[in-house]
């Protein structure tokens, strides 16, 4: 079953073997699925290695735009995942750069509300970035310089978000020719100790309100991330599995792209929320219901070790 309105079937035993036998490509979200912060989910490194040994193609799709792909490679290694290659990692920062270069074919600069991970991927892709100059004391939107070469605004996670950045972005978006992109729609992210941090989606919402425009979202649940992988590796959606912890992004992404979806319960979303989406009368909510539910990706171990 794939393509939305999943049945939330609890996976176990022979079902897991049958599911894996029917798929060639396995896409994992990262945080909440194979790790939580700086701790690998128990069994996750072994699952990834065994999938590859079984001849499966494994990819990692994350809306986290805070680090470039090379830093992800280091994190995988640090947490005990063997032989994860940079080309297997598709972050919203990398895909945003690919979109501006290959789809939009940007002729001009991009103004970025974001962090170092986004900047690095844009520069690696050869996309010109409008430099953010240090504001003069007493500077305001009345007096600050605006770059006439800006032809796109990209919003990502930014711990140094300011009113001035919001105001500048608004000014650029006054031109209907200026593209408006967001790395991802994530509203918030869980932190240790029960705290949360606002996500890219929160900053994008502020700019959408201020500019009366809607951003084109690059990350999950948009299909562009899958298109990005498929164009490089020739993936067949019907033979692909999406495993995530967030119903409104990971599962909806898989549903939008025609993939079979699995919700793991080691991250944000709960079984109760999944069942509520499944039983909803709203078609859009039904698309957020996973085909399958499992406690953890470690549940794959028994089937893979046989």
């Amino acid at each position: 079953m794939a393509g939305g309105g999943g049945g939330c079937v609890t996976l176990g035993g022979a079902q897991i073997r049958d599911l894996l036998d029917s798929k060639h490509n396995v896409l994992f979200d990262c945080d909440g699925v194979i790790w939580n912060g700086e701790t690998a989910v128990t069994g996750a490194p072994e699952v990834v290695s065994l999938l590859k040994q079984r001849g499966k193609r494994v990819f990692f799709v994350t809306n986290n735009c805070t680090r470039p792909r090379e830093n992800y490679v280091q994190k995988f290694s640090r947490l005990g995942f063997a032989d994860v290659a940079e080309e297997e990692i598709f972050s919203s920062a990398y895909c945003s750069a690919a979109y501006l270069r290959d789809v939009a074919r940007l002729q001009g600069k991009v103004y970025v509300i974001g962090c170092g991970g986004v900047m690095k991927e844009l520069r690696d892709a050869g996309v010109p970035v409008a430099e953010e100059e240090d504001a003069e004391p007493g500077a305001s939107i009345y007096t600050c310089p605006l770059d006439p070469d800006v032809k796109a605004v990209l919003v990502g996670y930014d711990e140094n978000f300011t009113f001035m950045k919001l105001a500048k972005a608004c000014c650029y978006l006054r031109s209907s020719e200026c593209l408006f992109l967001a790395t991802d729609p994530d509203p918030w992210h869980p932190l240790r100790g029960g705290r949360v941090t606002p996500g890219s989606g929160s900053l994008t919402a502020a700019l959408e309100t201020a500019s009366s425009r809607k951003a084109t979202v690059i990350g999950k649940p948009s299909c562009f991330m899958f298109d990005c992988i498929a164009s490089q590796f020739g993936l067949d959606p019907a033979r692909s599995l999406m495993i995530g912890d967030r119903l409104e992004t990971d599962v909806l992404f898989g549903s939008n792209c025609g993939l079979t979806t699995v919700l793991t319960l080691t991250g944000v979303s709960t079984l109760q929320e999944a069942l509520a989406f499944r039983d909803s009368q709203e078609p859009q909510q039904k698309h957020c219901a996973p085909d399958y539910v499992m406690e953890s990706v470690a549940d794959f171990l028994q089937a893979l070790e046989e």
Side-chain angles (χ1 to χ4, degrees):
M1 175 191 320
C8 297
V9 175
T10 300
L11 272 177
Q15 272 182 318
I16 294 179
R17 285 192 296 277
D18 292 345
L19 179 62
L20 289 176
D21 286 346
S22 69
K23 303 300 176 186
H24 184 48
N25 314 298
V26 183
L27 283 64
F28 288 99
D29 176 47
C30 293
D31 206 27
V33 176
I34 59 171
W35 63 53
N36 280 297
E38 280 296 316
T39 306
V41 168
T42 303
E46 293 80 3
V47 167
V48 170
S49 292
L50 287 166
L51 284 169
K52 290 186 174 188
Q53 288 171 29
R54 287 287 186 92
K56 308 296 182 186
R57 294 191 297 182
V58 178
F59 301 96
F60 304 94
V61 287
T62 175
N63 275 355
N64 188 325
C65 63
T66 60
R67 50 167 67 104
R69 296 206 292 178
E70 63 192 47
N71 287 27
Y72 270 107
V73 172
Q74 295 162 10
K75 179 166 184 176
F76 275 106
S77 178
R78 192 165 68 241
L79 297 189
F81 292 84
D83 304 323
V84 173
E86 191 171 305
E87 57 266 24
E88 295 169 331
I89 303 165
F90 288 80
S91 69
S92 60
Y94 169 78
C95 291
S96 295
Y99 184 93
L100 284 164
R101 181 190 62 201
D102 302 333
V103 179
R105 298 182 185 276
L106 184 69
Q107 301 295 311
K109 297 178 184 176
V110 56
Y111 178 71
V112 181
I113 293 174
C115 52
V118 175
M119 298 295 192
K120 176 83 166 60
E121 293 292 4
L122 288 167
R123 294 195 172 105
D124 286 353
V127 176
V129 175
E131 297 299 330
E132 187 72 84
E133 297 174 12
D134 292 334
E136 297 288 328
S140 75
I141 194 59
Y142 291 103
T143 57
C144 72
L146 295 173
D147 191 328
D149 294 328
V150 167
K151 297 293 186 285
V153 170
L154 174 62
V155 183
Y157 181 81
D158 189 346
E159 290 182 338
N160 297 307
F161 184 68
T162 64
F163 183 85
M164 184 68 90
K165 288 182 180 181
L166 179 63
K168 279 187 174 183
C170 277
C171 291
Y172 289 128
L173 290 174
R174 297 280 292 172
S175 167
S176 60
E177 302 294 307
C178 186
L179 288 174
F180 182 13
L181 306 177
T183 58
D184 65 271
D186 290 6
W188 57 276
H189 302 284
L191 300 175
R192 286 187 294 274
R195 298 196 176 193
V196 299
T197 181
S200 309
S202 300
L203 309 188
T204 303
L207 186 51
E208 286 181 334
T209 299
S211 66
S212 298
R213 291 182 57 177
K214 293 294 285 184
T216 296
V217 176
I218 301 300
K220 299 171 291 184
S222 163
C223 287
F224 180 70
M225 261 182 157
F226 185 76
D227 295 342
C228 210
I229 305 171
S231 66
Q232 293 182 37
F233 293 94
L235 270 61
D236 176 2
R239 299 204 63 205
S240 303
L241 187 65
M242 176 64 207
I243 304 169
D245 72 306
R246 217 165 184 155
L247 295 166
E248 298 93 331
T249 49
D250 301 325
V251 171
L252 183 56
F253 166 74
S255 175
N256 286 341
C257 300
L259 316 183
T260 301
T261 54
V262 178
L263 174 72
T264 66
L265 302 178
T266 48
V268 172
S269 296
T270 66
L271 176 59
Q272 289 72 23
E273 289 167 338
L275 294 171
F277 278 136
R278 182 195 66 183
D279 299 335
S280 171
Q281 299 306 306
E282 294 289 328
Q284 188 61 19
Q285 290 198 346
K286 279 189 176 297
H287 281 291
C288 295
D291 297 316
Y292 300 101
V293 179
M294 63 196 327
E295 281 297 324
S296 163
V297 293
D299 294 350
F300 283 123
L301 276 177
Q302 187 176 357
L304 287 166
E305 288 172 339
E306 290 175 356

